[in-house]
Amino acid sequence: MSINAHRGLPATEPRGNLYRILALKLLVICGFLIPDLARGADWSMWRHDAGRGAATSETLPAGLSLQWSRQLHPPRPAWPESQNRLQFDASYEPIVMEQTLYIGSMVSDCVKAYDTASGREKWRFYADGPIRFAPVAYRGKLYFASDDGFLYCLNAYNGSVVSKFLAGPATNKVLGNDRLIGMWPVRGGPVQYAGKIYFAAGIWPFMGTFIHAIDAETGKVVWTNSGSGATYLMQPHSSPAFAGVAPQGYIAATQDRLLLAGGRSVPAGYDRNTGDFLYYHLNRYGKEGNCEVMAMGDYFFNRGAIHKLSDGLDFSGASASLVDGDVIIGIRRGDLIAYTLEPGAKKAKGLWQTKVPPELKKIHIKAGDRLYGSGDNGAVIAMDIPANNKPARISWQDKVDGDVWNMIAADGKLFVVTTQGSIYCFGGKKITPKIYKLPAQRISSTPINPRLGRILKETGSEEGYCLLLGLGSGELLEQLLNHTQLHIIALDPHPAKVSAMRRKLDNAGVYGERAAVLAGTIMSLKLPPYLANLIISEDIKAAGIYNDRASIKRMFNALRPYGGTACLTIPKSDQLSFARQTANLDSSTIEESDGFVLLRRVGPLPNTADWTHQYGAADNSVLSRDKLKTPLGLLWFGGPPNDEILPRHGHGPTPQVVGGRLIIEGRDLIRAVDVYTGRVMWERQFPDLGKYYDNTSHQPGANEIGSNYVSLPDAIYVVYRDTIHKLDPATGQTAKTFALPGEKRPKFGFIAACQDLLITTTTPISVPLQDKSKEQKAAPGVELKDIDGVDIDADYASGSRTLVVMDRHTGRVLWTRPANYSFRHNCIAAADGRIFCIDGMTETQLTYLRRRGLELTEKPTLYALHARTGKVIWKTQEDVFGTWLSYSTEHDILL
């Protein structure tokens, strides 16, 4: 290939242009031979260099004016904002090479190239998944990583593909962070050092992680480390396991080391030349790390600490915003400081220190002799580096709309990125800036096709995931986007048609948000099972589906249980053959409707079972009837943020699974999540529903007081104060409420369901677990309600005064039974038409009550009651019951 062709120019030129061509070649060759000069004005990777120092020798004009701005899609980071140490893609991260700005999108899955002077788009390229990390520019090539599991190399001048490197062991797809991505996404952000590109794939150590070094000129593999994910090492809390490095963040490189950020853990160290794993101090530092690492000399910096490159151990705290050569600059307690670290030093050597101007809140980069940072309300600030400990002086400032996320300096310009997803270019010229706004989301709003409307009504598939097999004219895709809430994944075997549709949807502002288009077929793409609520196609042959059992089985495997439906247009002459091919597919039905053939996946997967109660079922067996087959594999990850879900240390009720839904509780809500895709199906607010469990101190939680909800295929029952809400499992809406009669209604405590019975307790009794008084205060004739510390009809308690059994459909009370002491919530079990329960308290509780004068002579009693009548079938009294109860409560052990 000629140099001109490499740049996207014609391979030959008229003779009159010969001197111009030779001059161009000479400049390019000189650029290759003297890379520092050729890229002096570039910002070729994240934070400028392989050490991630965020400093450049480029000097920007003293006075800057806005040249242009571009609004991009609002960023969609992989992990929620509350996971701030995993926010490697909280917003966009551009780079610059030779008057072109390159930026990847985690929303629309593409890299776009913009002219730095005008902001005009030069070209764009779509990957098959989100692009979450800044590209790397190197000698006319652009390298970038995608969640689809590939590292791409493009011609930087025209966006054509040079090469494509599969970073994991296979091309299997998975739902990850609400997108269809590769099973081994590239989440170790690429870095270039000494002509090599380093990157890492895979974020789940049990599935393998893969760190690669490739030659940036040839694309050939230099080395691969595929074993460190399975390293046997100490995890946090000193628990050993085969679980090593999980790349999540940008890689940093030095002369001898590679540093892999691991999200909230400290970076792991590798030999840069060989790929050998050196250290990963996961247990020592726990969750003290973050996804950003910066290196210089013999040291690296991570989350406010200085570590030695040799062994990864820390020795000091650090204020480090950026590194310029051997100088570290940061902000500490209102002062701007600069210091250096000599080789082997254990203490920093201060260079200068000055007060930070109050307007400046964060330092982002250094360019020439100025620092560039940000302040409140979108303030963009330049500050001359102080000399001789003089006060820092602001030399220039402006503002942008939004909050500043990051900056880069290149080509004589300052580029500012906001957390809201806009890019601002400031330069030395005073011009009328060009403003590029994000196109409004728009798809041609044609009325719904009556035939499609009937199909949607019949299948009930207006939410969830849809596989569209074949693009056709594109009208069906547009109809689905306009008239449903489905997230559509379209497959088509024609790459040109795929590329055109991607661009069309992106220009309409919807690509990646609710639609993605992949080149391939149901047979060529390794899709995850149980994905689709709806599969639809107007022409199955054009979509790559043939009337054979292999492709039909592959399509059926992608349908979600509990009603996933494939709606296919099949000629009458082929329908009988198609029906024969579907024979013996487990849990399938087939029918014709309005010209479509409907293939449904009804009910649950074979040999599966629900988990409906705190301990599995009403029998408290903690036994799953699900017949799992190993080995198991990853189905999805990510899903909704858990910010509002109860913390694990509070030991809230066990999540329950029923009808393909995961039912889980939060402080103020109860939520249903699709077990097959991680999609939130509904969320219902109940203020203070999980208040007792909402803390991070270790406590028995639901192991002591029981669960406040149970989940059945036709109803979810939630205890809420003095009412039981019967929720519709499909919507979360209250179908009925149950309460006991009377003005002063008691609160409910325990709840379980067995066949058509709802088993509950009322009037919870709370007795302190610890008696710290040294003096007995006996008072004959005292009643339970009169004892200090005892709460009758408590919000949260381990036992209740009354056992109540209702008809679970109507709420009609069938029978009640009072307790001598209290019915222990977690000692109520139902099986074989009987209810087993213990009327008694722990020895600690009994001691507390006796010392306050309550006469307690009855031993704890174990009852077997007739479930429908409450009659005693048998009972027994043994001292050992009290021992069991005490042990279960005080030591958090389940009976």
Side-chain angles (χ1 to χ4, degrees):
M1 177 186 288
S2 73
I3 298 251
N4 290 346
H6 179 71
R7 287 179 172 269
L9 302 175
T12 60
E13 289 280 347
R15 183 177 297 273
N17 292 329
L18 178 60
Y19 291 111
R20 183 175 64 82
I21 295 171
L22 291 174
L24 178 61
K25 289 184 177 181
L26 182 61
L27 285 172
V28 172
I29 292 170
C30 289
F32 286 174
L33 295 176
I34 315 174
D36 288 339
L37 290 176
R39 299 200 309 272
D42 291 348
W43 190 285
S44 60
M45 64 186 88
W46 184 69
R47 290 179 66 86
H48 187 264
D49 53 56
R52 310 306 195 180
T56 175
S57 58
E58 171 89 356
T59 297
L60 302 183
L64 296 171
S65 298
L66 183 64
Q67 308 294 295
W68 56 265
S69 69
R70 263 195 181 272
Q71 184 182 9
L72 304 177
H73 295 279
R76 293 181 61 187
W79 303 105
E81 187 177 353
S82 58
Q83 299 291 337
N84 61 331
R85 283 177 279 155
L86 276 168
Q87 293 284 290
F88 47 80
D89 60 341
S91 192
Y92 298 95
E93 298 285 1
I95 65 166
V96 168
M97 181 177 70
E98 296 181 19
Q99 295 80 51
T100 302
L101 181 142
Y102 303 94
I103 191 162
S105 174
M106 78 293 287
V107 179
S108 58
D109 307 352
C110 72
V111 170
K112 293 182 180 179
Y114 299 105
D115 179 74
T116 55
S118 66
R120 175 183 58 85
E121 181 182 324
K122 291 184 172 182
W123 57 258
R124 67 177 76 173
F125 176 87
Y126 291 93
D128 289 342
I131 300 166
R132 302 192 180 278
F133 297 92
V136 172
Y138 182 78
R139 294 184 176 178
K141 295 189 178 83
L142 190 76
Y143 287 90
F144 71 90
S146 171
D147 267 7
D148 64 16
F150 285 88
L151 180 82
Y152 292 81
C153 177
L154 306 182
N155 180 319
Y157 303 104
N158 60 26
S160 62
V161 177
V162 176
S163 63
K164 185 178 174 183
F165 184 91
L166 178 62
T171 59
N172 298 59
K173 300 291 186 182
V174 69
L175 281 174
N177 303 116
D178 303 318
R179 295 295 308 275
L180 185 66
I181 64 173
M183 187 76 78
W184 292 269
V186 182
R187 294 275 179 93
V191 64
Q192 184 271 132
Y193 190 98
K196 308 294 187 298
I197 305 292
Y198 303 90
F199 57 101
I203 60 175
W204 306 106
F206 77 97
M207 296 181 62
T209 55
F210 303 84
I211 304 111
H212 304 281
I214 66 171
D215 187 284
E217 290 287 357
T218 65
K220 292 183 178 179
V221 177
V222 178
W223 55 255
T224 293
N225 183 321
S226 60
S228 57
T231 304
Y232 188 75
L233 50 75
M234 285 291 183
Q235 308 296 306
H237 301 289
S238 300
S239 175
F242 287 98
V245 180
Q248 290 266 36
Y250 286 92
I251 299 174
T254 70
Q255 183 176 358
D256 298 316
R257 294 285 184 268
L258 277 185
L259 298 167
L260 261 69
R264 297 186 299 174
S265 62
V266 294
Y270 291 78
D271 186 299
R272 186 184 65 81
N273 297 298
T274 65
D276 291 341
F277 170 69
L278 301 176
Y279 52 76
Y280 183 40
H281 301 299
L282 181 58
N283 181 46
R284 183 185 184 102
Y285 298 113
K287 302 172 186 176
E288 294 180 14
N290 67 9
C291 62
E292 296 183 1
V293 57
M294 185 167 57
M296 61 149 284
D298 296 331
Y299 309 96
F300 70 86
F301 305 83
N302 183 249
R303 206 188 174 216
I306 305 174
H307 297 254
K308 293 181 290 184
L309 269 173
S310 58
D311 56 17
L313 299 178
D314 71 330
F315 65 89
S316 177
S319 298
S321 299
L322 56 89
V323 170
D324 183 21
D326 60 353
V327 177
I328 306 105
I329 298 175
I331 295 177
R332 182 182 64 189
R333 293 192 291 272
D335 285 347
L336 185 66
I337 61 172
Y339 58 97
T340 189
L341 289 163
E342 301 295 336
K346 293 188 177 181
K347 188 176 180 181
K349 177 184 178 182
L351 299 177
W352 50 260
Q353 181 170 341
T354 185
K355 287 291 182 185
V356 177
E359 300 94 329
L360 185 65
K361 304 300 181 184
K362 183 177 180 179
I363 297 292
H364 293 279
I365 65 171
K366 175 183 176 292
D369 293 327
R370 295 189 185 92
L371 301 174
Y372 292 84
S374 59
D376 296 331
N377 302 315
V380 182
I381 297 167
M383 187 180 68
D384 291 336
I385 293 178
N388 302 320
N389 285 330
K390 291 182 179 180
R393 183 180 67 85
I394 291 177
S395 57
W396 167 85
Q397 61 181 324
D398 207 324
K399 68 177 302 182
V400 297
D401 291 332
D403 303 308
V404 177
W405 164 249
N406 210 348
M407 301 178 181
I408 67 172
D411 191 29
K413 300 173 180 66
L414 178 71
F415 300 90
V416 179
V417 182
T418 69
T419 57
Q420 290 76 20
S422 291
I423 306 173
Y424 294 82
C425 173
F426 293 91
K429 296 180 181 179
K430 289 188 176 182
I431 62 172
T432 300
K434 295 180 175 66
I435 308 299
Y436 301 90
K437 292 188 176 181
L438 185 70
Q441 289 194 359
R442 63 187 191 281
I443 290 290
S444 57
S445 55
T446 55
I448 189 169
N449 182 301
R451 189 177 176 207
L452 176 60
R454 288 192 292 272
I455 290 297
L456 293 175
K457 183 177 180 179
E458 186 168 341
T459 62
S461 300
E462 297 192 22
E463 294 183 348
Y465 288 90
C466 169
L467 281 179
L468 174 60
L469 305 182
L471 287 170
S473 66
E475 181 183 353
L476 182 55
L477 174 55
E478 293 181 6
Q479 287 261 314
L480 290 167
L481 284 170
N482 271 323
H483 301 291
T484 74
Q485 294 301 312
L486 288 162
H487 184 97
I488 298 133
I489 300 166
L491 313 181
D492 195 280
H494 304 98
K497 187 178 285 190
V498 168
S499 180
M501 182 57 73
R502 284 171 166 173
R503 180 177 286 267
K504 180 179 181 179
L505 295 177
D506 195 5
N507 290 340
V510 298
Y511 192 74
E513 295 278 356
R514 281 192 47 223
V517 188
L518 301 176
T521 68
I522 197 79
M523 291 299 290
S524 65
L525 296 173
K526 299 177 181 179
L527 300 176
Y530 325 135
L531 165 71
N533 296 72
L534 177 67
I535 297 177
I536 192 164
S537 176
E538 293 179 297
D539 185 343
I540 63 170
K541 289 184 179 179
I545 297 287
Y546 301 97
N547 211 346
D548 65 272
R549 185 166 178 80
S551 59
I552 292 170
K553 186 176 180 180
R554 179 74 66 86
M555 179 179 62
F556 183 76
N557 194 47
L559 285 174
R560 184 186 183 276
Y562 298 99
T565 306
C567 302
L568 310 170
T569 301
I570 301 176
K572 283 278 187 183
S573 58
D574 294 336
Q575 288 182 10
L576 180 59
S577 174
F578 182 87
R580 287 172 178 163
Q581 301 297 339
T582 65
N584 301 320
L585 291 177
D586 289 329
S587 306
S588 68
T589 65
I590 188 168
E591 61 184 283
E592 183 186 1
S593 177
D594 195 26
F596 277 102
V597 172
L598 304 182
L599 175 64
R600 299 182 193 270
R601 188 171 204 157
V602 296
L605 293 172
N607 300 314
T608 60
D610 292 332
W611 187 280
T612 60
H613 288 63
Q614 171 76 6
Y615 301 124
D619 58 8
N620 283 3
S621 62
V622 202
L623 174 67
S624 172
R625 274 74 178 177
D626 205 289
K627 297 180 180 179
L628 297 175
K629 292 184 177 180
T630 57
L632 302 177
L634 183 67
L635 185 61
W636 58 267
F637 66 88
N642 282 333
D643 302 355
E644 298 181 1
I645 298 304
L646 296 169
R648 71 180 188 275
H649 289 160
H651 286 190
T654 301
Q656 297 164 17
V657 176
V658 65
R661 302 176 182 92
L662 172 72
I663 313 299
I664 189 167
E665 185 176 336
R667 162 67 187 248
D668 302 308
L669 59 84
I670 194 162
R671 170 191 290 172
V673 175
D674 187 341
V675 296
Y676 300 106
T677 65
R679 178 180 66 90
V680 174
M681 305 178 81
W682 53 260
E683 197 168 271
R684 179 70 190 280
Q685 297 294 314
F686 287 98
D688 285 340
L689 175 68
K691 177 181 177 181
Y692 178 80
Y693 315 103
D694 187 27
N695 65 76
T696 54
S697 62
H698 289 276
Q699 64 173 28
N703 296 324
E704 176 193 353
I705 70 172
S707 175
N708 53 4
Y709 73 97
V710 296
S711 305
L712 299 180
D714 61 347
I716 297 167
Y717 297 92
V718 180
V719 169
Y720 191 55
R721 299 170 182 156
D722 60 357
T723 304
I724 296 174
H725 286 253
K726 180 183 178 183
L727 307 184
D728 181 346
T731 65
Q733 296 301 307
T734 297
K736 290 183 179 179
T737 57
F738 304 155
L740 295 184
E743 273 186 39
K744 193 173 181 182
R745 302 188 311 207
K747 294 171 183 163
F748 288 99
F750 170 85
I751 187 168
C754 185
Q755 296 179 348
D756 60 352
L757 303 178
L758 195 64
I759 305 162
T760 72
T761 62
T762 63
T763 317
I765 301 171
S766 176
V767 178
L769 292 179
Q770 293 183 347
D771 185 3
K772 297 182 179 179
S773 63
K774 299 179 181 179
E775 188 177 324
Q776 293 187 10
K777 298 181 180 179
V782 72
E783 294 185 18
L784 189 64
K785 64 183 180 63
D786 298 324
I787 298 176
D788 290 342
V790 174
D791 189 359
I792 305 296
D793 207 26
D795 287 330
Y796 307 98
S798 60
S800 293
R801 171 170 284 173
T802 307
L803 185 63
V804 180
V805 175
M806 302 177 176
D807 182 305
R808 74 175 184 88
H809 302 292
T810 66
R812 181 172 65 89
V813 176
L814 302 180
W815 57 268
T816 65
R817 182 179 186 87
N820 287 324
Y821 298 123
S822 71
F823 289 112
R824 296 304 303 265
H825 294 162
N826 278 332
C827 298
I828 301 171
D832 197 25
R834 303 180 183 189
I835 295 175
F836 302 90
C837 55
I838 294 178
D839 179 359
M841 293 184 177
T842 68
E843 192 58 39
T844 302
Q845 291 172 323
L846 293 174
T847 299
Y848 182 92
L849 297 176
R850 290 181 185 127
R851 293 182 64 173
R852 281 147 185 81
L854 191 65
E855 295 295 329
L856 300 169
T857 57
E858 288 284 334
K859 292 181 178 180
T861 304
L862 171 63
Y863 288 97
L865 307 175
H866 191 284
R868 296 193 177 276
T869 65
K871 291 183 178 179
V872 177
I873 298 174
W874 54 259
K875 67 177 181 178
T876 184
Q877 293 177 312
E878 297 290 344
D879 289 334
V880 72
F881 297 143
T883 303
W884 288 350
L885 290 171
S886 177
Y887 190 72
S888 70
T889 297
E890 295 172 14
H891 298 275
D892 195 13
I893 300 297
L894 169 67
L895 284 176

